[in-house]
Amino acid sequence: MAPQAAQGKGLNQGHVGGNAGGASCQGEGLFVGEPETFLRLAGCPLRCRYCDTAHSWVVAPDAERLTPFGAMVRVAEVELDPRRPIAVTGGEPTLWPDFLLGLADVAGDRPLRLETAGQDLAALERVLPRFDHLSLDLKLGADLAPPVPVGTTGEPDDLPAEAAAWDSLRPRQLALATAHVAAGGTAALKLVVTPGTDPAAFDSQATRATSAPPRGDTAPTKAARSHTDSTAAQGTGVPAAARSRCRRVAWRAAVPSSATNGVATT
């Protein structure tokens, strides 16, 4: 399901495209193996070379529109248990901040988990307080083709396109993740490793992610322990050395110390 910025009956509308939703288990990050209901929003301006959901990039003109309440009806159709968390993924969910805020209003007690690349910091900062968990997909410049704007209302004109642009974005992304943890939420950072991943680029981003400002002693127990999941590096063709680096970074991030801040790296 993917929201588009249109208004109807006082609620923000969305487009449904691709996989609108389904009940499954989380395959990565802090909650790997846990049951979740996935809500996939269509539309994404990024062009990751490894993307396995390219069908979600474009919002089809004839896509069905749903309000946040309509989205929750779809969620209930696939999973009736009100305790089951909802993972909002894409596409790129932060294209639709009004929809996300509307979803939080009608989600009841279901935990909400947001999966995003965090390329629009203003939108992320706006919606993040309404979500329990942030899964932040860190991007390596070499993995990205030039972005293609979706054309949504409020979409930023300065989408990061070069590695340097993502590098300048990174400290602010990590600051938002750290603040979310300090406020009582949880966060996970994701780094995808492919056979073509540059070891130096991986090490640089992983080191930066695991060297964010230390968490405070008052951080909630559920968020205090850093967690790194290297499952993204388990795929066929990824060199053993890259897998080994992932495991080393995973260990460094999983052990509480002054260098960790309660975020997770995949």
Side-chain angles (χ1 to χ4, degrees), residues 13-14 19 36-37 71 75 100-101 141 146 150 158 160 169 185 193 200 213 228 231 235 247-248 256-257 262:
Q13 299 272 344
N19 296 325
E36 288 183 342
T37 300
V75 167
L100 296 177
L101 293 172
V150 177
D158 56 344
L169 199 64
V193 178
T228 300
T231 54
R247 285 191 289 270
R248 288 201 302 273
S257 73

Side-chain angles (χ1 to χ4, degrees), residues 26 52 84 94 134 172 209 257 259 261:
Q26 179 58 254
D52 60 357
R84 191 168 193 155
T94 58
L134 168 67
R172 290 175 290 167
S257 73
N261 72 329

Side-chain angles (χ1 to χ4, degrees), residues 181-260:
V181 170
T186 54
L189 307 180
K190 174 181 174 182
L191 265 176
V192 174
V193 178
T194 71
T197 296
D198 175 45
F202 172 83
D203 286 343
S204 173
Q205 295 299 341
T207 299
R208 181 178 297 182
T210 55
S211 300
R215 64 179 186 273
D217 292 337
T218 59
T221 302
K222 69 172 183 178
R225 181 175 175 271
S226 285
H227 167 83
T228 300
D229 182 4
S230 59
T231 54
Q234 302 299 322
T236 301
V238 177
R243 294 198 300 271
S244 177
R245 277 193 297 275
C246 283
R247 285 191 289 270
R248 288 201 302 273
V249 172
W251 174 253
R252 183 172 62 203
V255 178
S257 73
S258 60
T260 61

Side-chain angles (χ1 to χ4, degrees), residues 10-188:
L11 288 175
N12 298 296
Q13 299 272 344
H15 263 127
V16 175
N19 296 325
S24 185
C25 291
Q26 179 58 254
E28 61 188 28
L30 200 60
F31 301 104
V32 62
E34 292 191 11
E36 288 183 342
T37 300
F38 290 85
L39 196 61
R40 185 177 299 284
L41 307 185
C44 182
L46 305 182
R47 294 296 181 264
C48 303
R49 304 185 194 282
Y50 53 74
C51 183
D52 60 357
T53 52
H55 61 277
S56 69
W57 288 350
V58 178
V59 179
D62 59 348
E64 179 186 1
R65 295 176 184 270
L66 282 185
T67 63
F69 179 79
M72 288 305 301
V73 171
R74 291 292 183 88
V75 167
E77 289 174 350
V78 298
E79 177 52 67
L80 294 176
D81 187 349
R83 298 167 299 177
R84 191 168 193 155
I86 299 173
V88 185
T89 185
E92 174 47 59
T94 58
L95 284 175
W96 323 107
D98 290 336
F99 179 90
L100 296 177
L101 293 172
L103 184 69
D105 287 339
V106 296
D109 294 331
R110 283 181 184 264
L112 291 177
R113 297 171 179 173
L114 179 64
E115 300 182 358
T116 176
Q119 82 288 346
D120 185 345
L121 288 176
L124 180 58
E125 188 170 17
R126 183 181 169 201
V127 304
L128 189 54
R130 303 299 304 277
F131 281 77
D132 300 282
H133 176 69
L134 168 67
S135 178
L136 184 61
D137 190 355
L138 305 179
K139 303 295 184 183
L140 299 177
D143 290 332
L144 295 167
V148 179
V150 177
T152 61
T153 302
E155 185 178 12
D157 297 326
D158 56 344
L159 289 168
E162 307 294 335
W166 283 101
D167 286 345
S168 67
L169 199 64
R170 191 75 68 233
R172 290 175 290 167
Q173 290 178 319
L174 295 177
L176 282 178
T178 301
H180 186 61
V181 170
T186 54

